[in-house]
Amino acid sequence: GGCTKPEVWSDCPRTDYLNALRKESITLTEFYVQPLCSPTRSALLTGRYPIHTGMQTHVLQPTQPGGLPLKYKTIAEELKKQGYDTYLVGKWHLGYSKWEHTPLFRG
């Protein structure tokens, strides 16, 4: 589906800038994920193993206190500092108990 099939490429948006960025970037071929969503999300958004952020053991539910520690900046927070617009699509599961833990605050 989508723009992954050659027969529909002519209908897909051009991505010249992304293609150039890809050619100039490194390709990560090995990575590790966790069996739960909160640890994996925390790793993806911070670039840190969940064991180092305290997010390694469970899925953080909306009614639970706490969240991804504020001392660990997310990629969205860093991109916003560089002038990018950021958006959240999908689940968060990294904290809701305080405004500072919500996705709107975190980038």
Side-chain angles (χ1 to χ4, degrees):
C3 293
T4 60
K5 296 181 181 176
E7 60 270 17
V8 299
W9 284 352
S10 63
D11 296 330
C12 294
R14 293 186 51 108
T15 58
D16 297 330
Y17 177 75
L18 292 177
N19 294 345
L21 183 63
R22 164 64 176 90
K23 284 182 181 179
E24 297 173 13
S25 300
I26 62 170
T27 300
L28 303 176
T29 59
E30 297 179 29
F31 51 91
Y32 301 91
V33 296
Q34 308 298 313
L36 301 170
C37 61
S38 292
T40 298
R41 278 188 182 81
S42 71
L44 176 67
L45 293 177
T46 65
R48 297 174 180 272
Y49 287 115
I51 191 78
H52 298 294
T53 62
M55 299 294 295
Q56 74 274 14
T57 60
H58 65 283
V59 175
L60 193 58
Q61 299 296 328
T63 58
Q64 287 180 279
L68 179 65
L70 300 175
K71 68 180 180 178
Y72 301 112
K73 299 300 178 198
T74 68
I75 190 171
E77 289 173 288
E78 295 300 325
L79 287 171
K80 273 192 120 153
K81 282 199 267 185
Q82 299 299 316
Y84 286 87
D85 290 330
T86 59
Y87 301 90
L88 171 72
V89 177
K91 299 188 296 181
W92 175 245
H93 286 195
L94 293 175
Y96 302 93
S97 63
K98 294 181 181 177
W99 168 247
E100 293 84 7
H101 286 131
T102 66
L104 293 176
F105 184 86
R106 299 299 300 261

